[in-house]
Amino acid sequence: MALTLEVAAVRIDANAITVTDGVLGGVEQDSTTAAVEQGTQRLREVLAGRTPQPTPGGVE
């Protein structure tokens, strides 16, 4: 069984986030997509001077 790793980077102006998703076998692309979307929204909130929620919605 092989380790599969997905890496995504999001840049907003001079700021950026990276997301990694790794698992033995196949990575669920939906998980990586959701993490990028939530991370991007949280970065936008921080850049707007707001404090994001400690735990994003939909995370269990």
Side-chain angles (χ1 to χ4, degrees):
M1 190 171 279
L3 174 65
T4 303
L5 181 67
E6 285 192 342
V7 178
V10 176
R11 182 175 161 192
I12 299 176
D13 297 323
N15 302 282
I17 61 169
T18 57
V19 175
T20 59
D21 186 7
V23 67
L24 289 175
V27 173
E28 295 285 333
Q29 187 174 2
D30 293 346
S31 299
T32 306
T33 301
V36 168
E37 290 171 356
Q38 289 178 357
T40 301
Q41 181 58 39
R42 292 171 65 82
L43 177 58
R44 285 187 177 128
E45 289 178 25
V46 169
L47 293 175
R50 297 187 298 267
T51 301
Q53 295 178 353
T55 303
V59 175
E60 296 180 25

